[in-house]
Amino acid sequence: MYDYLIVGAGLFGSIFAYEANKAGKKVLVIDKRDHLAGNVYTENVDGINVHKYGAHIFHTSNKEVWDYVNQFAEFNRYTNAPVARYKDELYNLPFNMNTFSKMWNVKTPAEAKAKIEEQVKEAGITEPKNLEEQAISMVGQDIYEKLIKGYTGKQWGKECKDLPSFIIKRLPVRFVYDDNYFNDKYQGIPEGGYTQIVEKMLDGIEVRLGEDFFDKRSEYENIAEKIVFTGMIDEYYDYCYGELEYRSLRFETEELDVENYQGNAVVNYTEYEIPYTRIIEHKHFEFLCQGANEESIPKTVITKEYPATWTKGDEPYYPMNDDKNNALYAKYKELADKEEKVIFGGRLGMYKYFDMHNVVAEALDCVRTEIG
Ligand code: FAD
Ligand code: UDP
């Protein structure tokens, strides 16, 4: 008998397991995948740490969260600065003076602001009610058309006017020449990848990989005093109120005999007609930040990220947090709140578009409330 069965060896489950184990609890972790670390999993391919489930850049303004993850790895000084490619044009992201000056040949913040104001006025938007209106009111019609409309349409499989505004509010808009994708105080990539972090957290803890909770539900329900469940909450309740919507992805990874394929870790393809949203070149996450250069390995690994419709059995990479799905989740949450034995956590258990730093904070909160 265990004190805790933890379903999911991603960040949430692993932090809970680490803290519970430290507090003397007997813990069992299971994961249906054949590896640890959930979506932050990285794998070393010929000296390059490959982010198997898409680019993962750690960023936070929460010092406690930053210090917490730094116990398990040394983070480099990587700053995310994606480039957006629209047809033959290249633009810097997030939306900043470099983007504005390339788009409109403006030079000062006042000129850029005037251009945006003029376009917002033309569009007649006063109170943005959806992602399209929110985007136009932040950066104007031209940037919306070239850098947001196509990318967002393929990423979510819906038109911008049918999507919630919060998705685009994730991106900064700034009137300085600064391409840092995040506003957070701390940012970096763990030297040597993310998997080692989870390996250290789970060191000395019993872990069973390739085990799906639902394949042996009755056994696993009775194996521990309590369950921490980080899979899909609607699946846990056998979709009794209906299915929550998710968005899936397909990753296509290739190793190429070139030193430097695209000159940046992340290049977004913002036109609708190209079926992938971005190409990640993994070596750029770590090489220059650690003093090595691209030539030290004459190869590179790239991943194309294709958005995909989610149907049962696919990987649910993104929750679709619009009003309809949030209302459905609230019904599942009511059931969850009545559970005495089960705690739901993480991106799928709590059905929230969490970044890693949110998950670390949630997991620490949860384990403290639970164990003290
Ligand atoms: P997960 O990592 O999904 O872990 C859940 C685990 O539970 C999985 O391993 C799964 O196999 C297992 N599981 C599920 N159901 C069962 C079951 N029935 N039985 C057994 N095991 C089960 N965040 C950032 O901060 N920065 C970024 O740059 C960033 N980029 C991202 C890019 C992409 C493409 C994606 C999809 C996410 C990105 N994120 C990023 C978010 C980040 O991945 C998540 O916040 C974090 O990994 C969530 O951790 P988790 O433990 O909640 O979930
Ligand atoms: N987005 C966009 N164009 C871009 C990059 C992002 O329109 O070049 C929009 C898109 O809707 C995306 C959202 O901004 O889903 C948030 O972007 P982020 O990079 O945070 O997405 P994630 O890395 O979580 O997929």
Side-chain angles (χ1 to χ4, degrees):
M1 196 64 180
Y2 298 89
D3 294 310
Y4 291 97
L5 166 71
I6 294 166
V7 181
L11 262 190
F12 191 99
S14 303
I15 291 170
F16 193 103
Y18 175 76
E19 294 297 329
N21 181 56
K22 217 166 63 176
K25 304 291 179 190
K26 197 168 173 217
V27 176
L28 169 65
V29 178
I30 63 166
D31 201 297
K32 64 182 177 186
R33 297 185 187 174
D34 63 2
H35 60 74
L36 301 175
N39 286 342
V40 307
Y41 178 65
T42 49
E43 188 177 86
N44 194 297
V45 176
D46 289 342
I48 299 166
N49 291 308
V50 173
H51 296 210
K52 292 293 269 193
Y53 300 94
H56 276 78
I57 300 112
F58 202 98
H59 56 97
T60 183
S61 291
N62 182 329
K63 184 161 187 329
E64 195 200 346
V65 165
W66 183 241
D67 290 344
Y68 189 81
V69 293
N70 275 270
Q71 296 174 74
F72 302 101
E74 187 153 339
F75 281 68
N76 68 21
R77 57 142 189 88
Y78 177 82
T79 300
N80 200 30
V83 169
R85 194 162 155 173
Y86 175 78
K87 302 196 170 158
D88 285 335
E89 300 165 20
L90 290 180
Y91 293 95
N92 291 107
L93 291 175
F95 313 114
N96 75 95
M97 282 307 295
N98 288 313
T99 329
F100 307 139
S101 76
K102 180 83 184 275
M103 186 70 67
W104 298 311
N105 198 26
V106 293
K107 289 171 186 64
T108 66
E111 285 168 357
K113 282 184 183 166
K115 197 84 190 162
I116 293 170
E117 266 170 39
E118 179 193 310
Q119 299 198 348
V120 174
K121 214 168 160 194
E122 255 173 50
I125 298 163
T126 44
E127 273 191 36
K129 289 183 293 298
N130 54 49
L131 195 155
E132 177 174 297
E133 294 183 0
Q134 181 65 43
I136 295 171
S137 67
M138 279 160 56
V139 291
Q141 189 81 30
D142 293 339
I143 291 181
Y144 168 69
E145 294 289 339
K146 288 189 173 180
L147 303 185
I148 298 173
K149 191 178 176 181
Y151 185 103
T152 300
K154 56 190 174 178
Q155 167 70 14
W156 296 101
K158 292 187 182 187
E159 287 188 39
C160 292
K161 64 176 172 42
D162 299 323
L163 286 165
S165 308
F166 87 89
I167 293 178
I168 197 67
K169 287 197 210 152
R170 286 171 58 85
L171 306 191
V173 177
R174 48 173 105 86
F175 293 90
V176 287
Y177 290 90
D178 177 358
D179 297 329
N180 185 347
Y181 202 59
F182 304 111
N183 280 331
D184 283 318
K185 192 164 172 188
Y186 310 105
Q187 182 175 172
I189 301 273
E191 293 183 8
Y194 286 90
T195 307
Q196 57 168 334
I197 293 181
V198 173
E199 278 168 358
K200 284 181 202 162
M201 286 173 178
L202 297 180
D203 187 30
I205 294 174
E206 187 179 345
V207 180
R208 298 182 193 166
L209 294 174
E211 284 286 294
D212 191 323
F213 174 79
F214 297 112
D215 289 345
K216 296 182 190 162
R217 185 166 188 153
S218 52
E219 179 189 329
Y220 279 128
E221 272 176 343
N222 295 303
I223 208 170
E225 294 289 332
K226 281 198 157 185
I227 299 172
V228 175
F229 188 83
T230 72
M232 293 154 61
I233 188 166
D234 54 345
E235 186 177 19
Y236 183 88
Y237 287 112
D238 207 15
Y239 307 101
C240 64
Y241 296 129
E243 283 175 27
L244 289 163
E245 259 182 285
Y246 301 88
R247 192 75 178 141
S248 197
L249 297 170
R250 183 169 62 82
F251 297 102
E252 220 175 73
T253 298
E254 302 165 65
E255 192 167 2
L256 304 174
D257 282 327
V258 293
E259 282 165 10
N260 184 359
Y261 172 75
Q262 63 182 13
N264 206 30
V266 184
V267 177
N268 289 2
Y269 286 76
T270 58
E271 63 197 274
Y272 188 78
E273 290 68 27
I274 292 182
Y276 43 87
T277 45
R278 42 192 175 191
I279 300 185
I280 310 304
E281 186 169 12
H282 301 267
K283 72 194 317 195
H284 297 305
F285 288 124
E286 290 188 59
F287 276 50
L288 294 176
C289 299
Q290 285 160 213
N293 53 30
E294 283 90 11
E295 295 84 55
S296 61
I297 293 189
K299 289 185 174 182
T300 198
V301 180
I302 63 161
T303 301
K304 291 183 180 137
E305 198 171 310
Y306 294 82
T309 308
W310 178 87
T311 45
K312 265 189 206 168
D314 297 335
E315 280 295 340
Y317 288 107
Y318 293 89
M320 179 70 89
N321 283 125
D322 58 10
D323 291 346
K324 185 180 130 221
N325 286 290
N326 287 343
L328 182 55
Y329 167 68
K331 292 174 74 178
Y332 284 115
K333 173 85 168 57
E334 256 180 55
L335 293 181
D337 287 343
K338 291 192 197 120
E339 299 282 357
E340 285 178 357
K341 205 181 150 168
V342 191
I343 301 165
F344 292 86
R347 217 184 205 202
L348 302 174
M350 298 165 87
Y351 195 69
K352 277 205 188 64
Y353 191 174
F354 281 145
D355 283 327
M356 290 181 280
H357 61 284
N358 305 121
V359 170
V360 174
E362 289 287 339
L364 288 175
D365 254 20
C366 174
V367 74
R368 279 172 196 155
T369 307
E370 180 61 23
I371 295 171

